[in-house]
Amino acid sequence: VDLTDRLEVLEELDASIRFAYGGAEPRPAAMAKVLDWNDLEFTESAFRPGQANLILMSDVVYFPMLRRPLLNTLLMLSTSETQILWANCDRYPSFVPDLETFLELLGRFFEITIEEERSQQGCGGPNEMAE
């Protein structure tokens, strides 16, 4: 299992893995790895094209300038058999992502279904917004 993020948060991600698994023996095969959507050449050197069976994305904010780099990364890591699950807040205290435009872009390359949609109201998370 590869858990990925930008280089500047990799140490925190690795600490989260160690915390989650504690002293489990044998240690689960979970690794923190760098994945930079803006550096496809590095991604191609660190991951095999189409190697992912499952891609989980969580709380990823899609600024307009990151849409195409993320799409290119997903296309490189996936095949038609790869399942991609995405969980995301629809708004943040200081930012409302344009999810419709991003979904439209992804829809040209992927089959998209909405499995569950729920309000952020009452979830108690750090990005909960008042109505």
Side-chain angles (χ1 to χ4, degrees), residues 36-57:
D36 182 348
W37 306 336
N38 287 305
D39 191 349
L40 198 55
E41 187 175 319
F42 173 78
T43 299
E44 289 172 334
S45 72
F47 299 90
R48 289 185 330 272
Q51 83 175 52
N53 298 330
L54 174 66
I55 296 174
L56 300 173
M57 301 186 303

Side-chain angles (χ1 to χ4, degrees), residues 1-73:
V1 175
D2 294 329
L3 302 169
T4 64
D5 213 321
R6 299 179 324 263
L7 178 61
E8 58 269 20
V9 295
L10 202 63
E11 191 174 310
E12 185 178 322
L13 180 59
D14 193 52
S16 294
I17 293 169
R18 287 192 312 274
F19 177 77
Y21 291 112
E25 290 296 332
R27 183 181 162 137
M31 291 180 53
K33 293 175 106 176
V34 173
L35 181 62
D36 182 348
W37 306 336
N38 287 305
D39 191 349
L40 198 55
E41 187 175 319
F42 173 78
T43 299
E44 289 172 334
S45 72
F47 299 90
R48 289 185 330 272
Q51 83 175 52
N53 298 330
L54 174 66
I55 296 174
L56 300 173
M57 301 186 303
S58 177
D59 291 325
V60 183
V61 177
Y62 301 104
F63 294 107
M65 71 279 203
L66 293 177
R67 288 183 191 137
R68 290 210 181 269
L70 174 55
L71 172 62
N72 290 334
T73 300

